[in-house]
Amino acid sequence: MTIKQFCVGSLLICTAAVCNAQQPLKWTLEDCVSYAWTHNISVKQSELDVQSAQIEKSAGFGAFLPSVNANSSHSWNVGLNQNITTNLLENQTTQFTSLGANVGVDIYKGLQNQLRFRKSKLAILAAQYQLAKMKDDIGLNVANAFLQILFNKESLKVQKDQLSISEKQLQRTQEFVDAGVLPRGDVLDSKATVASDKQKVVVAENALLISKLSLAQLLQLDNFQEFDIVDADYQAIQSEVMFQSPSAIIAKAKENRVELKLAKTNMEVADKDISIARSAYQPTIQGFYGFNSRISYADIPLFDASGNLIGTRGPLPFSQQFNNNKGHQFGLQLSVPIFNGFTVKYNVKRAKVALERSKIAYAQSELDLERTIYSAYTDAQGAYKAYESALTARDARSTALDYAKERFDVGLMNTFEYNQAQTLYVNAQSEVLRTKYDYIFRTKIVEFYFGLPIQLKP
C-alpha cells in the first residue's frame, strides 16, 4: 500500500466515523428527539423567528443613537448664470462643488424609543417560548412515531410467527390427509390460511416501512431505507406520575408550560403597544446640526478702486474656498401634535383591542391546558385498563388454542375450526401490542405535562 492510498483510506474511515457519530445505526428515542430539535423544518423556522426578534432589538437600540448623513454634489452651469461665489451674472460654463453633513438626535419622543426597545426584549422572550413549544410538540410527535415503529415491528414478528405456524400446520394436515385421517378439503383450508397469513405479513411490512418513513421525515433524513431504531423490550408499567391527581398535574403544568408563558408574554407585548400608541400624543423634541461649504471653479473678475473690470484671475485653491465658504447651522425642533385625523386615537383603540384579545388567548390557553391534561390523564388510565383486559384475553385465547390443538391432534376438530382458534389468538396478541404502546405513549404525554423529559427505557 502506498502512502497516498493509506491517506485516502484513513480519510474515508474518519469520514465514516464522523457520519456514524452524527447518525447512529440504531436510533434511540433520545437520539431521535435531539436530532429533530436540530434538523426539523418547523424548529428551524422558529429559530429564525428568534433571530428576527433579536434583530428588532438591535434596531430598537439603534433608535437611541443620532443619525449622521453626509452629502455632496458637483454641477455644471452653462450659459448666463449667477456665480454663487461672486454673485455676478456670467455667460460661461462653470462648475460648482458643494459639501455638507447633517446630524440629528431625538431628545424627547414621548418615550417611544424606550418603549419599543422594551417591547423588542419581550418579543425575543416570546419567540424563545414559541421555539420551546415547537420543540415540545416535535418531541411528542417523534415519540408517537417511534412507538408506532415499535408496534409495527412487534406486529410483523407476530404475523411471521403465525405464518410459520400455519405452514407447519399445512404440512401436518397434508400428512393426515395422505393417511386418510382428514378429508382433502382440510388441505385447501390450510393453504388458504397460509396465503392469508402471507398477505398479512406483507401488510405488516408495508406498515413498518411507512412508519419508518414518517419518523425519518420528522427527522429530515434523506435515506430512510437504512434508518432503524433500537430494538428493546419496553414494558408497560405504571408511571409514578399516574399516582398524582389531575389537579396536581395541572398545577405543576401551569408553573412550567411554555404555552402559558408565551400567552402571558404576548399579553405584555400588547400592553407595551398601548403605551407606544399613546406616546404619539406627546410632543417631540429633536436636536440638529448641519455643516456645508461650496467651491467654484470659475475665474474670478478683478476690479479697480473705481469698480471697473480690469481682468480675471483663476479660482482660489480648493481648501481656501472650502474654508471661506463654510457654514454651520444647529438648533432644536419642537413638534406638537394638534390634529392628525384621529390617527393616534384609533391606534390606541386598536392596541387596546389587541390587549383584550391577548387576555382572552391567555385564559383560553389555561382552559386548553386543563382540558388536555384531564383528557391525557383519563386516556392513560383507560389505556392501562384496556392493556390489562387485552392481557387477560390473550391468556384465555392461548389456553383455548392449546385445547384446540389437543382436540385437533386426536381428530376431534377439523382444520377450519383450528385455524379459527389460531386467528383469534393472533388477534389477541395484536391487541396486546396495540394497547401496550398506546398506554406507553399516553403515559409519556402525562409525564410530559408534569415536567418530565421525553424518555423511553426498556
Side-chain angles (χ1 to χ4, degrees), residues 345-365:
K345 178 181 178 180
Y346 294 143
N347 287 340
V348 172
K349 287 187 175 182
R350 292 189 188 97
K352 288 182 177 180
V353 172
L355 177 60
E356 292 301 318
R357 288 182 184 275
S358 62
K359 289 180 179 179
I360 294 174
Y362 179 77
Q364 186 64 50
S365 297

Side-chain angles (χ1 to χ4, degrees), residues 11 16 31 51 74 84 93 102 120 154 157 243 257 285 326 422 448:
L11 178 61
D31 293 334
Q51 294 181 19
H74 186 87
I84 62 174
T93 299
N102 298 288
S120 65
E154 295 287 343
K157 182 179 178 182
F243 295 105
R257 288 307 306 148
I285 301 176
K326 66 183 178 181
Q422 282 185 320
F448 165 76

Side-chain angles (χ1 to χ4, degrees), residues 65 82 94 125 172 177 185 204 216 267 288 293 308 312 317 360 386 395 446:
L65 303 176
Q82 183 180 25
T94 59
L125 189 60
R172 293 186 60 191
V177 170
M267 236 179 7
F288 62 89
S293 183
N308 298 318
T312 61
I360 294 174
D395 294 340
V446 178

Side-chain angles (χ1 to χ4, degrees), residues 237-308:
I237 58 177
Q238 280 276 43
S239 173
E240 294 182 359
V241 178
M242 294 304 299
F243 295 105
Q244 300 282 341
S245 65
S247 300
I249 299 175
I250 291 174
K252 186 70 177 294
K254 286 184 176 181
E255 295 177 359
N256 302 318
R257 288 307 306 148
V258 291
E259 49 261 48
L260 292 185
K261 294 180 180 180
L262 174 61
K264 185 177 180 180
T265 305
N266 287 335
M267 236 179 7
E268 296 175 353
V269 170
D271 186 62
K272 282 290 182 292
D273 284 333
I274 294 178
S275 300
I276 293 172
R278 283 176 175 167
S279 65
Y281 283 121
Q282 302 184 36
T284 60
I285 301 176
Q286 290 182 319
F288 62 89
Y289 168 79
F291 170 83
N292 60 81
S293 183
R294 60 185 184 272
I295 296 92
S296 173
Y297 301 93
D299 291 339
I300 299 175
L302 298 177
F303 302 92
D304 57 16
S306 300
N308 298 318

Side-chain angles (χ1 to χ4, degrees), residues 66 170 194 198 253 420:
L170 173 61
V194 170
K198 287 182 178 180
Q420 285 293 103

Side-chain angles (χ1 to χ4, degrees), residues 91-148:
N91 191 1
Q92 59 181 344
T93 299
T94 59
Q95 300 183 54
F96 301 97
T97 298
S98 63
L99 302 170
N102 298 288
V103 179
V105 60
D106 291 328
I107 297 176
Y108 182 76
K109 200 176 180 181
L111 301 180
Q112 288 187 27
N113 293 338
Q114 291 87 339
L115 292 172
R116 286 195 172 97
F117 186 69
R118 293 169 189 169
K119 176 188 172 183
S120 65
K121 289 183 177 180
L122 291 174
I124 291 177
L125 189 60
Q128 290 172 343
Y129 285 146
Q130 182 63 43
L131 174 60
K133 184 179 182 300
M134 181 59 65
K135 286 186 175 182
D136 288 343
D137 294 341
I138 292 297
L140 285 177
N141 292 335
V142 169
N144 187 23
F146 189 91
L147 291 172
Q148 186 64 42

Side-chain angles (χ1 to χ4, degrees), residues 54-79:
Q54 291 172 341
I55 293 173
E56 290 300 322
K57 177 186 174 183
S58 300
F61 177 78
F64 291 99
L65 303 176
S67 60
V68 180
N69 297 284
N71 59 81
S72 65
S73 67
H74 186 87
S75 61
W76 288 262
N77 294 337
V78 181

Side-chain angles (χ1 to χ4, degrees), residues 197-225:
D197 290 341
K198 287 182 178 180
Q199 183 181 10
K200 292 178 181 178
V201 169
V202 173
V203 172
E205 289 175 342
N206 291 337
L208 177 59
L209 181 63
I210 292 174
S211 61
K212 286 184 178 181
L213 173 61
S214 299
L215 182 54
Q217 287 179 337
L218 279 175
L219 303 181
Q220 301 301 314
L221 296 178
D222 296 330
N223 189 11
F224 76 94
Q225 290 86 354

